[in-house]
Amino acid sequence: MAEENLKNILDEIVKTINPRVREIIEKRFGLRTISCQTLEAIGQNMGITRERVRQIEALGLKQLTNKNALEPIKPVFELIERHLTAHGGVRSEDHFLKELMELLSLKEKNRENLINFTLTLGKGRFVYFKETPTWQSAWALSGAHYNQAIDLAGALKEKLASQNLLLQNDALFKTAAGLANKNLTEQALKSHIGLCRHISQNPFGEWGLISS
């Protein structure tokens, strides 16, 4: 899918709402600019309070997430779902956004904004998890997929720590597969492991704890 197609789809979707509401949505999500504006900045520009901006934004998103309104973007949602499924249902945010830019052939400077808005419209299909000291921020198909991933990565982290292990790729994935509660592809295992901020690969290609 070409970038122009995604941009056109998003343009058509936001055109279905009131122009004033559309303006706020476009500014908040940076659909026409590189930067996303704050509630405060939009409120000052439009002569209304930040709380009123928030209310209008919420109203706009509610209107846009109507099943009929989202029909044009359904193929994009399906592409994203297939990509997440191929990675075990969860992907760290940084990798996920870069991969979607490539899959959707996005070139514009605000391409990350377009993707984030698309994912926002897909609320219910895609779930966002904030970063923590241990885990990368991530997108998942469900909370169950995310929990399964961090359970696996957490168990691997404990094993690496308890045995002070440094593993090559094959040994790492074999160990991770033994800890998984179901069969997962190497791609899914790598995606799960990639959520843990404490596991990394050294210059020699060995995997272990960053602290080791």
Side-chain angles (χ1 to χ4, degrees), residues 75-92:
V76 180
F77 287 163
E78 292 173 347
L79 181 151
I80 295 172
E81 287 176 345
R82 289 194 298 271
H83 186 70
L84 280 174
T85 299
H87 288 84
V90 62
R91 197 77 173 114
S92 65

Side-chain angles (χ1 to χ4, degrees), residues 55-71:
Q55 293 172 354
I56 295 173
E57 177 190 358
L59 172 64
L61 290 176
K62 182 177 180 180
Q63 293 173 340
L64 289 173
T65 51
N66 175 278
K67 183 177 180 180
N68 292 331
L70 291 179
E71 189 64 29

Side-chain angles (χ1 to χ4, degrees), residues 88-152:
V90 62
R91 197 77 173 114
S92 65
E93 183 179 28
D94 57 344
H95 286 101
F96 188 50
L97 295 181
K98 290 176 184 176
E99 289 158 359
L100 289 186
M101 288 178 199
E102 184 174 343
L103 285 172
L104 296 168
S105 303
L106 299 180
K107 305 295 182 184
E108 288 291 327
K109 291 182 179 180
N110 71 335
R111 56 191 179 275
E112 188 169 320
N113 297 347
L114 298 178
I115 291 175
N116 280 323
F117 183 58
T118 298
L119 293 170
T120 298
L121 293 178
K123 183 179 180 180
R125 290 174 177 258
F126 317 115
V127 187
Y128 179 70
F129 296 88
K130 295 180 179 180
E131 68 176 349
T132 72
T134 301
W135 306 107
Q136 304 278 5
S137 56
W139 283 93
L141 290 174
S142 69
H145 286 92
Y146 177 78
N147 290 333
Q148 179 187 68
I150 63 172
D151 285 347
L152 171 59

